[in-house]
Amino acid sequence: MSATASRTATVAGVEVPTDHYINGERVQSAQTFTTISPIDESVLAEVSRASVGDVDLAVQAAHDAFPAWAALGAVERGRYLHKLADLIDKNIEPLAQVECADMAMLLRSLRARVIARGALNYRNYADLAVAYEERDWHSKGTWNRVQRMPAGPAAVITPWNAPFMLSTWKTAPALAAGCTVVLKPAEWSPLSCSLLASLADEAGIPPGVFNVLQGIGAEAGAALVAHPLIRRVSFTGSTRAAREIGQSAARNITPFTAELGGKNPLIVFADADLDAAAAKAAGQYDDAGQVCLSGTRLLIEESVLDTFLEKFHAATDAHVLGDPREDATTVAPMIHPDHVARVAGFVDRARESGQRIVRGGQRGEGLFYEPTLIEPTGNDAEIVQNEVFGPVLTYQTFADEDEAIRLANSTNYGLSGIVYTSSMGRADRIGRAVRAGVVWVNTFLVRDLTAPFGGVGNSGIGREGGDYALDFYSDLKTLQILDGSVA
């Protein structure tokens, strides 16, 4: 490994550094890995593949930079984060172009909201950290105050879907709380996070405070979460990987948070606006179904099933599979050949086990997979119980609220739920009964960044968002002073 002029690749007309960003410098690895574009499977770049030595270099840099960054205080740290947010806003177009090429999210979505959400994350957490008020109270002859202490170097491991936004969502509270960061983006879509490192450098964030390692999860990710100098681990990804990361973090008694997958219900009652519900259900095919919060289990009150399905099919027929750079496209290709094969495997096994493929169920050209709807033979079917993470929905019917709740809570997941009803009383009852980190009623993907976010069961542990995230990246201390003992 060596610190040198960074190797770069030209992606969508943008020069992207392909080496790590460690201690304020670009650092090469002897080995590389290849990242391809899901749009046409062309090679985008050869990216530095972190070794254990690279991981140690990055963690040591974060460790060394931590005392000074923590000592700055929330106001000074916030100035850096606001400058970084301003730079993101100025670079929305190149960031969007690179992420579109690398991950195939719709370019218009990246331009309109997703990249800008990264800037909002930094501003939001910078301001929340400054506004934090320590809790004071009097008890048993003493004056008490709860104080936040920055925890130390944090390992942040992010997934391949919406990599830029999700990286900012995690690094923003860590940096605002006074932690230093080593970010490892997913190997299938690493390039926009490399641009984030360049913007952090331009914002003047001190060397070692923000580091980015490119690498393979089983190699660099494993070494990162096991490092004894890491004091927090934040992960978004699969339940299987989270189990391994959690075990590794536990060996060092390192606090760990994980936002994982979902098998989320979308519940439609007979009193709902069926046009809106059907359109939202068909909208779950957006981003090729590669959204952990998507409502992939359609639960429909049996009296309106035929009407709902008619409207759902009409809305799904309006989808356009195509190039994510084109405005007409509504469903883009999937991320990687291996992931297409995984999704196809779920559908093939469903077909072989007697589940009815109502529509779709076939691969398209390249990395496309048809929007698919399956009627399962029973609630215990694999296609109902396990996360597919692709454009594959199931539907089941229910007779009443009790059955709807039973079906909604019948998997090991609990990330989100979506409910369509015109009754406030029912919205409250179902909202309380569904076991999930968030339940939307008559809407979807509306986020207040101060609200807690996370899952239950196989959907995760811990909460992100607002003060919940700032508390995670802090050690809480109670200062207690005897009355009358100090002047």
Side-chain angles (χ1 to χ4, degrees):
M1 60 189 177
S2 62
T4 184
S6 176
R7 295 173 293 197
T8 65
T10 302
V11 178
V14 180
E15 285 298 306
V16 182
T18 57
D19 294 324
H20 317 299
Y21 179 75
I22 299 173
N23 204 27
E25 297 181 311
R26 290 292 175 173
V27 176
Q28 293 184 5
S29 291
Q31 291 187 306
T32 63
F33 64 92
T34 303
T35 183
I36 67 168
S37 176
I39 298 172
D40 56 10
E41 299 184 74
S42 62
V43 172
L44 293 177
E46 295 295 328
V47 181
S48 274
R49 180 172 177 164
S51 66
V52 172
D54 295 321
V55 172
D56 189 64
L57 186 68
V59 174
Q60 190 64 53
H63 175 76
D64 293 345
F66 170 67
W69 181 250
L72 276 182
V75 172
E76 289 301 317
R77 292 192 297 265
R79 290 193 176 101
Y80 285 107
L81 299 186
H82 273 280
K83 187 171 182 181
L84 176 55
D86 292 343
L87 288 169
I88 291 171
D89 280 339
K90 291 177 182 177
N91 287 276
I92 285 177
E93 184 62 22
L95 288 164
Q97 290 284 351
V98 169
E99 185 141 308
C100 180
D102 203 20
M103 188 255 156
M105 182 178 284
L106 297 179
L107 181 58
R108 67 173 182 274
S109 296
L110 290 164
R111 283 173 171 156
R113 57 181 178 82
V114 178
I115 300 301
R117 164 70 187 276
L120 182 62
N121 286 335
Y122 285 118
R123 291 193 183 99
N124 181 72
Y125 280 108
D127 294 345
L128 279 173
V130 170
Y132 172 70
E133 294 183 4
E134 297 175 331
R135 179 189 168 203
D136 293 336
W137 76 101
H138 189 269
S139 174
K140 298 180 179 179
T142 63
W143 174 84
N144 301 264
R145 168 169 285 173
V146 175
Q147 300 174 326
R148 280 179 177 156
M149 300 182 295
V156 172
I157 300 177
T158 52
W160 46 259
N161 59 321
F164 184 86
M165 188 278 288
L166 290 174
S167 293
T168 66
W169 171 239
K170 290 178 175 291
T171 60
L175 294 169
C179 294
T180 52
V181 167
V182 180
L183 165 65
K184 197 208 84 66
E187 54 265 33
W188 282 354
S189 56
L191 298 179
S192 60
C193 290
S194 183
L195 292 178
L196 177 59
S198 296
L199 295 179
D201 188 77
E202 187 176 348
I205 292 177
V209 170
F210 185 86
N211 307 276
V212 176
L213 278 174
Q214 317 287 7
I216 309 302
E219 301 167 357
L224 179 58
V225 299
H227 201 290
L229 295 180
I230 290 294
R231 296 316 311 143
R232 291 293 185 274
V233 174
S234 180
F235 171 73
T236 295
S238 72
T239 302
R240 176 195 57 77
R243 290 192 178 99
E244 297 174 1
I245 291 170
Q247 290 172 358
S248 183
R251 294 187 184 99
N252 293 323
I253 319 296
T254 303
F256 166 60
T257 186
E259 190 268 288
L260 308 176
K263 194 68 179 178
N264 312 303
L266 193 161
I267 309 169
V268 180
F269 287 92
D271 66 348
D273 180 337
L274 295 183
D275 289 308
K280 192 62 67 178
Q284 305 307 296
Y285 293 125
D286 289 355
D287 293 321
Q290 299 169 139
V291 179
C292 57
L293 291 160
S294 288
T296 57
R297 291 185 295 133
L298 309 182
L299 307 179
I300 315 302
E301 191 163 358
E302 57 191 18
S303 63
V304 294
L305 175 65
D306 292 342
T307 302
F308 173 84
L309 286 180
E310 181 182 355
K311 295 176 182 295
F312 170 82
H313 286 304
T316 302
D317 288 343
H319 274 305
V320 176
L321 278 65
D323 189 319
R325 297 166 295 192
E326 299 294 332
D327 287 343
T329 298
T330 61
V331 178
M334 301 187 73
I335 182 71
H336 193 276
D338 291 351
H339 192 57
V340 178
R342 179 183 181 277
V343 170
F346 271 103
V347 178
D348 292 345
R349 291 191 299 275
R351 183 183 289 110
E352 292 162 3
S353 63
Q355 320 303 316
R356 187 167 78 94
I357 312 301
V358 177
R359 68 175 299 149
Q362 300 294 331
R363 299 190 194 200
E365 294 184 4
L367 300 184
F368 285 97
Y369 199 89
E370 294 178 344
T372 297
L373 180 66
I374 298 175
E375 181 185 17
T377 57
N379 194 55
D380 60 349
E382 179 197 43
I383 199 68
V384 175
Q385 292 296 318
N386 292 342
E387 183 183 43
V388 178
F389 213 64
V392 179
L393 309 180
T394 62
Y395 80 86
Q396 298 164 270
T397 61
F398 62 86
D400 53 28
E401 287 187 14
D402 287 344
E403 187 175 15
I405 292 166
R406 179 181 63 78
L407 289 171
N409 293 336
S410 66
T411 76
N412 291 326
Y413 295 94
L415 188 58
S416 74
I418 308 167
V419 180
Y420 271 82
T421 178
S422 61
S423 166
M424 184 61 206
R426 175 173 287 134
D428 183 67
R429 290 191 299 272
I430 303 300
R432 289 177 182 275
V434 171
R435 293 277 299 165
V438 58
V439 177
W440 287 284
V441 179
N442 300 330
T443 189
F444 177 57
L445 275 185
V446 178
R447 291 281 294 119
D448 180 337
L449 301 188
T450 64
F453 178 78
V456 300
N458 284 356
S459 289
I461 183 171
R463 288 295 180 269
E464 299 176 282
D467 282 346
Y468 307 93
L470 293 172
D471 282 347
F472 171 72
Y473 288 110
S474 306
D475 288 315
L476 301 184
K477 173 176 62 180
T478 301
L479 176 66
Q480 193 171 37
I481 302 174
L482 182 67
D483 285 351
S485 65
V486 295

